[in-house]
Amino acid sequence: MDGRNKKFILELQKKPAVRRSSGLYTVDGPKMAGELDLADVENVYVTKSFLASGHAADCAELLKNVSYELIQDSEMKQISDTVSPQGILVVAKQRKTRGIGAITDGVKAPLILILETIQDPGNLGTIIRMAEAAGVTGIIMNKETVDAYSPKVVRSTMGALLRLPFVAVDDIVKAAGALAAGEYTCGEAVRIYAARLDGAVDYASVDYRGASAIMIGNEAHGLSEELSGCADQNILIPMCGATESLNAAVAASVISFEAARQRRLGM
């Protein structure tokens, strides 16, 4: 591997601006690499030890149809963002969701997560992974939320990043207002719920079976007053003991799976 490629990969992992300008990101490890659309693959780097391992089977189609560069284990350690590289790293094109309409088109009673300024990569990755499991239609986030294509987010999603549509918008308040007005759902208003510590009602007492959106705010400051103003209802998760709040990913999970339960059971 030449120094220019090595430098670019390291910058791609460390600098959101490089990911934005290039439209690329890195996938480290066989499971997610094996799920990539071959048309999105730019470069593949593998080690001899990986090719000799059983993990190579997870990437059989990728390795069969895309040329790859064989590098030393020491080189893989230099370009990998993980402490213990698994022997394959892919530079891939970012999947583009073409606006909010791409999340709602053809979906009856969408269930949407609206994320405001989530800063922890692990939280965002966990939310994306959880959202797929809970049957969330898609995620809308503001540009101040951590980059969904940062290596830590990508790893945390465990491949859900490739399957669940999401979009980062310049004006999340405007986006929430448009959903509430039915702009993206053929005139059907999306009912919006704001998860807040001063929520007026128990999160489990509201009806998520229709077109719904759940708003989750920043880990330290919660939802802004401006975005909260778009909500039809403020909701809270009742808690015991002295705990004041839940982790953003946990809160999103609790509410999303309640919505999933209602939709599955019709109640």
Side-chain angles (χ1 to χ4, degrees):
M1 169 180 279
D2 63 43
R4 184 178 63 179
N5 287 348
K6 185 183 298 182
K7 180 181 178 182
F8 175 69
I9 290 171
L10 292 175
E11 289 185 340
L12 200 58
Q13 293 170 336
K14 295 177 181 178
K15 299 179 180 179
V18 175
R19 291 193 293 272
R20 285 194 297 269
S21 63
S22 66
L24 301 173
Y25 72 113
T26 59
V27 173
D28 200 332
K31 186 181 184 301
M32 189 167 170
E35 292 186 43
L36 287 167
D37 187 323
L38 297 183
D40 291 337
V41 176
E42 290 282 301
N43 305 101
V44 182
Y45 303 93
V46 298
T47 63
K48 286 183 179 179
S49 57
F50 173 76
L51 293 177
S53 73
H55 295 300
D58 294 332
C59 304
E61 184 178 359
L62 173 67
L63 298 174
K64 178 181 178 181
N65 294 285
V66 178
S67 60
Y68 55 83
E69 182 177 340
L70 200 60
I71 64 175
Q72 300 296 320
D73 287 331
S74 57
E75 291 180 295
M76 184 62 76
K77 287 184 179 179
Q78 290 175 354
I79 64 172
S80 174
D81 187 63
T82 64
V83 176
S84 301
Q86 297 180 64
I88 181 168
L89 184 144
V90 180
V91 176
K93 298 174 185 175
Q94 296 179 17
R95 185 171 58 89
K96 297 296 184 183
T97 299
R98 298 188 180 281
I100 298 172
I103 291 175
T104 59
D105 284 351
V107 180
K108 184 179 180 180
L111 175 62
I112 299 166
L113 285 181
I114 299 176
L115 307 180
E116 184 182 31
T117 319
I118 300 297
Q119 293 291 286
D120 183 81
N123 275 342
L124 180 59
T126 299
I127 289 172
I128 293 172
R129 183 182 180 187
M130 172 283 301
E132 183 191 27
V136 169
T137 306
I139 295 176
I140 301 169
M141 62 188 84
N142 62 347
K143 292 290 180 67
E144 290 71 34
T145 289
V146 64
D147 180 15
Y149 285 102
S150 71
K152 290 182 180 179
V153 175
V154 172
R155 284 197 303 275
S156 297
T157 69
M158 296 294 287
L161 184 80
L162 301 175
R163 300 181 292 268
L164 184 73
F166 62 90
V167 62
V169 298
D170 292 318
D171 190 334
I172 200 164
V173 174
K174 181 179 178 180
L179 286 173
E183 187 172 320
Y184 298 103
T185 46
C186 299
E188 179 188 6
V190 176
R191 190 161 179 82
I192 300 179
Y193 300 100
R196 293 177 57 100
L197 294 178
D198 60 353
V201 300
D202 187 316
Y203 79 102
S205 69
V206 300
D207 189 346
Y208 304 98
R209 291 174 295 175
S212 304
I214 301 162
M215 301 197 300
I216 302 292
N218 174 261
E219 293 91 340
H221 306 293
L223 290 165
S224 66
E225 293 297 332
E226 188 178 12
L227 183 57
S228 295
C230 298
D232 295 286
Q233 181 71 65
N234 290 347
I235 57 174
L236 81 164
I237 300 171
M239 291 176 286
C240 299
T243 299
E244 294 183 354
S245 64
L246 294 175
N247 169 279
V250 172
S253 299
V254 170
I255 300 170
S256 295
F257 273 97
E258 170 59 20
R261 184 194 69 79
Q262 291 185 14
R263 288 166 173 243
R264 184 176 64 252
L265 300 179
M267 57 181 291

